[in-house]
Amino acid sequence: MQIGGLAAVALCALPLILAHGDAVDLDSELLWGTYRPNLYFGTRPRLANSLVSGLMWFGLDGRHWQSIRHSCELGDNLSEYGYSRHNGRDFGEQTMRDNDQGVEIKSTFIKVPGDVGGSWAVRFTGRTLDEGTQGVSLVYYFGLEGNGTMSTTVDDSMARVRGRTPELGKFSIRVEPAQSNQYPVVPKDFSNIGGIRTDGSRINGVGLKVPKTEVWRAKDIFQDVLLDSARTRARAMSEHTKGASQFPGSLLFGLDNAGLRKKGTNMFFAQMNVQGEFAFDVIYECADKTSHIDSVAIDAIASNRRKEFDARFEASFSLREKGFSEAQIEMARNALSSLIGGIGYFHGSGLVSSKPKPEFGAEDESEAELGKPYSLFATTPSRPFFPRGFLWDEGFHQLVLRQWDSDLSLEVIRSWFGAMDDNGWIAREQILGDEARSK
């Protein structure tokens, strides 16, 4: 059995792990979370083939649309991202600064308790970094990877999604841009173009029906839709201007609210083109009316959670009492939060060999094949480079996590033991599903 560093933590906690049993698989408090650590921001429940969501953005100048931000990539050259506070349950905040695309975005995630995981919200605030640019396009999407229904509507004040899945039951979603958001300025030559709104709508969207196994490819899917729309818009603008070849990015790269009433829709993208300071909220609500989240309450809830986090951080690690400077405490807080923000839920089949590994020096003629699908709840060594479970690293991660939240730590350890095969083997590297294998 290849357990490595995890054994030191797990063996002493084994009685508690066994006592938990399977009863906490759908523990309401831990059902929803930022469990897509491979993305700059994404959410999902700890359910296989369910509802997933994520953030994307790109600058509206030049060829920025070819390098849409979505998954954490070293080549994106973000000068800053990673959680500055994350308690692992109902609060997390981070700042993403992208100088190349000319935007800074802060995400603040909260949850409130309720049936089937309760409700959650994330507030995005930020600003474009260069007044000389055409601004930035912000995109938030939802997709159903399994059975369920989804209907969408969009008006100038918000986008709405209503849906249902067998596990989550009924749910509703709102994507609400702030009224103060400024649409990029459109040159006079490009006003009043037939078929294109040039007066600056605050939000647009598109509904799609895609193969369930392809939902994780959200960036590629959106890019194809965006390019098709841009070609149509470019023709219209060229005819309107009698041959112009340079078009405003805010008009060229926009969605037209297509497919919103299409039957069988399982994916929805909401888009907001902005310039200057901006904000928008994404609010997911379960059917439990006691879990309602009002936009005006998000900042107050986040402020309370922030204070609770800081007090708990000092109580857990006593760094200020030990004489560490504020800069050192901030670094430690960021390190813990980035570790917790890297927790993910993964489901799928891994490539395994059914034959034992040959003796040293002997030729390995076995071929890897897909095993049975299973789930894993784990921390990850690196969001851009290694966004999946790694057994050896997990042991060291849990030495820290158990000091912060022992119940959360036990959930992770219990999940790893659930990955053990019939021979008592736990694979060191867990690459479950197509999305994990893509990186």
Side-chain angles (χ1 to χ4, degrees), residues 111-330:
K111 285 196 307 184
V112 298
D115 294 341
V116 200
S119 301
W120 58 265
V122 56
R123 170 159 290 173
F124 295 100
T125 57
R127 61 189 178 93
T128 53
L129 300 178
D130 188 347
E131 293 182 0
T133 65
Q134 295 184 47
V136 66
S137 184
L138 307 166
V139 181
Y140 203 89
Y141 69 88
F142 284 87
L144 286 172
E145 293 185 315
N147 295 329
T149 59
M150 177 187 291
S151 64
T152 57
T153 59
V154 177
D155 59 38
D156 198 45
S157 63
M158 72 176 70
R160 296 179 183 270
V161 180
R162 298 186 185 278
R164 181 182 188 130
T165 74
E167 299 84 6
L168 296 173
K170 292 182 179 180
F171 61 83
S172 63
I173 297 162
R174 307 190 305 275
V175 182
E176 302 181 21
Q179 291 187 0
S180 58
N181 287 1
Q182 295 296 311
Y183 189 81
V185 176
V186 176
K188 292 182 179 179
D189 291 346
F190 292 91
S191 60
N192 302 316
I193 300 177
I196 302 176
R197 282 194 63 178
T198 59
D199 57 345
S201 56
R202 288 193 293 142
I203 186 167
N204 289 298
V206 62
L208 302 171
K209 183 178 181 180
V210 304
K212 297 172 184 176
T213 56
E214 298 291 303
V215 168
W216 67 270
R217 297 180 57 251
K219 174 183 170 180
D220 296 334
I221 293 169
F222 176 76
Q223 213 161 22
D224 289 344
V225 171
L226 192 69
L227 185 56
D228 285 345
S229 175
R231 286 170 177 158
T232 301
R233 286 169 170 241
R235 285 193 293 269
M237 286 188 282
S238 180
E239 293 174 3
H240 179 80
T241 57
K242 299 181 180 180
S245 58
Q246 298 293 323
F247 309 119
S250 57
L251 296 185
L252 187 63
F253 300 114
L255 301 180
D256 297 313
N257 294 334
L260 298 182
R261 301 185 183 279
K262 191 176 184 180
K263 189 175 181 180
T265 295
N266 66 339
M267 198 158 200
F268 172 71
F269 296 90
Q271 181 191 35
M272 293 146 283
N273 290 343
V274 296
Q275 192 170 39
E277 295 187 353
F278 59 83
F280 72 97
D281 297 335
V282 179
I283 302 173
Y284 166 95
E285 292 184 322
C286 64
D288 185 352
K289 293 183 179 180
T290 64
S291 317
H292 175 71
I293 299 177
D294 196 320
S295 286
V296 298
I298 293 176
D299 281 343
I301 294 172
S303 178
N304 289 335
R305 301 271 169 84
R306 192 176 298 115
K307 292 175 184 177
E308 291 169 359
F309 179 95
D310 289 346
R312 180 177 172 186
F313 185 79
E314 177 60 22
S316 298
F317 302 103
S318 305
L319 298 186
R320 188 169 286 105
E321 181 182 326
K322 294 173 182 176
F324 287 94
S325 69
E326 291 303 314
Q328 291 169 327
I329 293 172
E330 180 182 5

Side-chain angles (χ1 to χ4, degrees), residues 243-423:
S245 58
Q246 298 293 323
F247 309 119
S250 57
L251 296 185
L252 187 63
F253 300 114
L255 301 180
D256 297 313
N257 294 334
L260 298 182
R261 301 185 183 279
K262 191 176 184 180
K263 189 175 181 180
T265 295
N266 66 339
M267 198 158 200
F268 172 71
F269 296 90
Q271 181 191 35
M272 293 146 283
N273 290 343
V274 296
Q275 192 170 39
E277 295 187 353
F278 59 83
F280 72 97
D281 297 335
V282 179
I283 302 173
Y284 166 95
E285 292 184 322
C286 64
D288 185 352
K289 293 183 179 180
T290 64
S291 317
H292 175 71
I293 299 177
D294 196 320
S295 286
V296 298
I298 293 176
D299 281 343
I301 294 172
S303 178
N304 289 335
R305 301 271 169 84
R306 192 176 298 115
K307 292 175 184 177
E308 291 169 359
F309 179 95
D310 289 346
R312 180 177 172 186
F313 185 79
E314 177 60 22
S316 298
F317 302 103
S318 305
L319 298 186
R320 188 169 286 105
E321 181 182 326
K322 294 173 182 176
F324 287 94
S325 69
E326 291 303 314
Q328 291 169 327
I329 293 172
E330 180 182 5
M331 181 187 70
R333 188 179 66 227
N334 290 350
L336 172 70
S337 299
S338 292
L339 170 65
I340 295 173
I343 293 175
Y345 175 87
F346 311 93
H347 180 83
S349 298
L351 288 170
V352 297
S353 174
S354 59
K355 298 180 180 180
K357 188 173 182 178
E359 295 295 328
F360 180 76
E363 186 175 352
D364 187 355
E365 298 180 350
S366 62
E367 293 185 4
E369 55 188 34
L370 288 175
K372 296 180 180 179
Y374 61 93
S375 301
L376 181 70
F377 186 55
T379 63
T380 53
S382 169
R383 288 173 65 192
F385 185 70
F386 207 102
R388 49 187 178 267
F390 196 80
L391 188 59
W392 179 260
D393 291 49
E394 192 69 84
F396 296 103
H397 294 164
Q398 295 312 310
L399 292 173
V400 177
L401 185 57
R402 68 172 183 171
Q403 201 170 338
W404 171 256
D405 188 333
S406 59
D407 287 339
L408 179 58
S409 179
L410 285 173
E411 275 293 281
V412 172
I413 296 170
R414 189 182 66 85
S415 184
W416 274 101
F417 271 89
M420 185 183 296
D421 68 15
D422 294 338
N423 297 316

